[in-house]
Amino acid sequence: MSPYLLSTTALADLSDADQATVSDLAARRRASITVAEAEQAAADQLAVTLLHEFRGAWSVGDADRMADVILAAVDLDLANPGSPRLMDEIRGLSTPAAA
């Protein structure tokens, strides 16, 4: 199964815009997360968004949009060599499932 569809990121925990209402728990979460972890969470969220966008474009046959998403996925894969490859996920959409 796709690691992008299974993973949950802490990005929502980091993006509370109202500083006046930040709970102690949210403040501790922000203090305990590193910049690298925040960047990885953002990359994971981008990968999920691109995968959903590709699936949407594929379902309506929008080849131009699919090509744009593929280019963005290749860039994301190159920028994050240690992460699961998004292009493998995109290619897997057209591969028949094993019985």
Side-chain angles (χ1 to χ4, degrees):
M1 180 161 251
S2 170
Y4 293 114
L5 296 177
L6 287 176
S7 66
T8 58
T9 63
L11 188 60
D13 296 334
L14 299 174
S15 60
D16 183 12
D18 185 2
Q19 296 293 327
T21 61
V22 173
S23 68
D24 290 337
L25 179 60
R28 281 194 304 261
R29 284 182 183 158
R30 284 192 184 129
S32 67
I33 194 164
T34 65
V35 171
E37 290 170 336
E39 288 175 349
Q40 185 61 49
D44 290 347
Q45 185 61 40
L46 177 59
V48 169
T49 302
L50 288 172
L51 186 58
H52 286 293
E53 194 166 335
F54 182 84
R55 292 170 74 187
W58 187 29
S59 69
V60 296
D62 187 350
D64 290 335
R65 189 64 197 141
M66 287 189 297
D68 290 341
V69 172
I70 286 172
L71 291 174
V74 168
D75 287 342
L76 184 65
D77 286 345
L78 290 173
N80 298 292
S83 298
R85 293 175 33 91
L86 181 57
M87 278 306 300
D88 291 342
E89 297 294 326
I90 289 174
R91 284 187 199 102
L93 292 175
S94 61
T95 304

